[in-house]
Amino acid sequence: MKKPTKSFEIALSAIAAAFAAGFLMLGTLNPFLLAAGYLVATFALMVPLAKDFVWGSALAYLAAGLIALPLGLWKIVPYAVFFGLHPIVNYLQKKYVKRTPFKVLCLIAKAVWFDLSMWLSFFVLTAMAGMEFSEYITAFLYYIIFLGGTLFFVVYDIMIFFCQRSADIAVRRIRR
């Protein structure tokens, strides 16, 4: 199989950036679709990684964030601090980390990263974007983020690895 050209990497990364930016902007317009916008943008960034285009995925992450920035200034903070970078970090972990103790250490570090980014996102979304959460959520914020968020993240991280495997299978059909 011949090596993919740089133009193919640029085209695949541009398509991923367009999908990611489109769904981020759609999520900023409708608060109900905000979380879905983050997830679809995450899935879009997996497409260049399926062909081992790490730099292409990183540039797609930056492009999607910059394109969606004017429309949803503060609402893309969770994407910028976690959801956009997570597929790239998972790809690097899968490629370079082979031993189980290091995998567990990576999972712990990513869980702390997730919790801190959700804590930052909560304060940015309430203070800057004007989103309002119920009194129950604000009263038990630290329990929800640091206990529930950590348990949620373990399942989320495993599912993202499965989604990357599915993206690898789907993109493998492209002959370049």
Side-chain angles (χ1 to χ4, degrees):
M1 189 165 148
K2 71 180 192 183
K3 183 180 175 187
T5 61
K6 283 291 185 186
S7 61
F8 178 69
E9 179 178 3
I10 292 168
L12 196 62
S13 301
I15 291 169
F19 271 102
F23 279 96
L24 281 174
M25 289 188 292
L26 185 64
T28 59
L29 292 176
N30 186 350
F32 181 71
L33 296 175
L34 191 60
Y38 298 146
L39 288 177
V40 173
T42 301
F43 297 150
L45 294 179
M46 291 180 187
V47 173
L49 292 174
K51 288 287 190 180
D52 297 323
F53 298 150
V54 178
W55 286 109
S57 183
L59 289 176
Y61 156 74
L62 287 173
L66 290 175
I67 291 169
L69 186 65
L71 192 57
L73 184 62
W74 299 108
K75 292 182 180 181
I76 64 164
V77 169
Y79 168 80
V81 296
F82 181 76
F83 290 104
L85 295 171
H86 186 245
I88 300 170
V89 171
N90 276 357
Y91 174 82
L92 295 174
Q93 176 188 343
K94 186 178 177 183
K95 186 172 183 179
Y96 295 113
V97 178
K98 300 298 181 196
R99 294 188 176 179
T100 304
F102 293 127
K103 289 180 182 179
V104 172
L105 187 63
C106 287
L107 180 66
I108 292 170
K110 288 189 300 184
V112 169
W113 174 38
F114 177 76
D115 291 343
L116 291 176
S117 64
M118 290 303 107
W119 177 70
L120 173 72
S121 297
F122 175 80
F123 285 111
V124 168
L125 289 176
T126 54
M128 303 292 190
M131 292 181 72
E132 295 182 10
F133 295 94
S134 69
E135 287 184 30
Y136 180 78
I137 290 176
T138 56
F140 296 106
L141 176 69
Y142 296 109
Y143 294 116
I144 291 170
I145 289 178
F146 294 112
L147 291 177
T150 304
L151 294 174
F152 168 77
F153 175 74
V154 172
V155 174
Y156 173 77
D157 193 46
I158 292 168
M159 298 310 284
I160 288 296
F161 274 114
F162 286 135
C163 289
Q164 181 64 52
R165 188 181 310 163
S166 298
D168 293 345
I169 291 169
V171 175
R172 187 179 308 147
R173 296 177 186 160
I174 300 173
R175 292 280 176 165
R176 291 226 172 213

